[in-house]
Amino acid sequence: MNEMIRMENVNKSYFMGEESLHVLKDISLTVEKGDYLTILGPSGSGKSTLMNILGCMDTSDSGIYQFNDIELNKCTNKELSWFRNQKIGFIFQKYNLIPQYTAMQNIIMPLLIRGITRNEAVKKADKIVSLVGLSDRIMHKPNELSGGQQQRVAIARALITEPSLLLADEPTGSLDSATGKDILALFKKLNNNGNTIIVISHNNQVAKQSKRIISILDGKLIE
């Protein structure tokens, strides 16, 4: 395995009026290509802020964030936006699907935005749809799908751009426990296929499915 992500002494503070809130404190972290780790922490621990920095949706105040030899802490907002769209696949607790689109339309949307033809996009999606176990539901709209099926659509959409990293925020948080187990089994399968996955969660049972668990508490990491 080789190093994909390296964080060194990353700090992040927010100002609440006159008060400064130190959310991340000297975070150092490495992630290898093909890794599957969970960042585990309670509400208010700093895990969402860390996810936003990992996902290039926010930047640190100090420290180094290197991804595939690119120092992201030195990038402009435009460069971060490009990097986020090219390299990271996001999976959210609430799925974030477009309600008026079918499952297939939701899945291929990122490719169409990149200018890939619809025929090419559908051909690419067909493989992923069968990988995530959705083949018989692709013409349904989100409101015609169960929570687990909607999350599979969201996972397929994240995978279609072949991202370097899958970043999942509480991916089973809106699901019952049996469906949650199915989604975590799918993550394991994706990881076995070579996908690098970081899950952000407060749930020990979710964390136990990954290869590594890193706890975050009061803005500090404990491996």
Side-chain angles (χ1 to χ4, degrees):
M1 288 214 269
N2 55 341
E3 190 177 272
M4 177 189 282
I5 286 172
R6 181 168 62 90
M7 280 186 161
E8 277 182 26
N9 303 116
V10 164
N11 285 274
K12 182 71 179 178
S13 296
Y14 293 106
F15 281 94
M16 316 272 286
E18 299 291 302
E19 297 274 303
S20 172
L21 191 63
H22 198 173
V23 183
L24 297 181
K25 301 162 186 170
D26 289 323
I27 298 283
S28 293
L29 169 70
T30 55
V31 180
E32 305 278 335
K33 195 171 188 299
D35 210 344
Y36 174 10
L37 73 120
T38 300
I39 295 170
L40 182 70
S43 184
S45 58
K47 66 182 189 295
S48 296
T49 303
L50 180 55
M51 185 199 77
N52 288 341
I53 292 172
L54 283 165
C56 299
M57 293 183 285
D58 201 355
T59 51
S60 61
D61 298 331
S62 62
I64 292 168
Y65 176 22
Q66 201 164 315
F67 192 126
N68 289 346
D69 298 327
I70 297 167
E71 278 203 41
L72 294 176
N73 45 296
K74 292 182 178 173
C75 290
T76 63
N77 283 340
K78 193 176 177 184
E79 288 165 340
L80 285 176
S81 176
W82 179 89
F83 193 90
R84 183 172 65 238
N85 292 334
Q86 297 292 321
K87 301 294 182 185
I88 301 168
F90 292 94
I91 301 158
F92 300 99
Q93 179 178 345
K94 299 287 186 198
Y95 326 128
N96 289 17
L97 302 176
I98 299 170
Q100 59 270 39
Y101 286 4
T102 63
M104 179 58 94
Q105 287 170 322
N106 269 285
I107 292 165
I108 65 174
M109 177 59 60
L111 293 184
L112 301 183
I113 289 168
R114 288 188 185 182
I116 289 169
T117 67
R118 188 183 167 80
N119 282 352
E120 273 181 88
V122 168
K123 201 184 290 182
K124 200 166 180 185
D126 283 339
K127 288 180 194 162
I128 291 167
V129 160
S130 102
L131 175 70
V132 301
L134 262 181
S135 299
D136 55 341
R137 311 295 287 173
I138 53 166
M139 300 321 289
H140 291 66
K141 290 184 177 172
N143 67 351
E144 300 166 325
L145 301 172
S146 69
Q149 288 165 340
Q150 289 184 62
Q151 193 57 296
R152 286 170 190 270
V153 173
I155 292 166
R157 180 186 57 192
L159 286 169
I160 194 128
T161 57
E162 296 175 26
S164 302
L165 173 67
L166 281 178
L167 192 54
D169 183 18
E170 300 286 6
T172 63
S174 298
L175 304 172
D176 63 72
S177 60
T179 309
K181 278 181 187 160
D182 289 345
I183 293 299
L184 293 173
L186 175 57
F187 277 12
K188 211 164 252 189
K189 180 177 169 185
L190 294 172
N191 180 243
N192 289 339
N193 287 352
N195 288 96
T196 307
I197 302 172
I198 299 178
V199 173
I200 311 289
S201 185
H202 69 280
N203 186 325
N204 275 306
Q205 298 310 310
V206 169
K208 282 177 184 169
Q209 301 304 310
S210 55
K211 289 177 181 171
R212 281 169 71 201
I213 300 172
I214 295 173
S215 294
I216 184 166
L217 195 61
D218 298 327
K220 291 182 175 175
L221 286 190
I222 315 143
E223 183 142 14

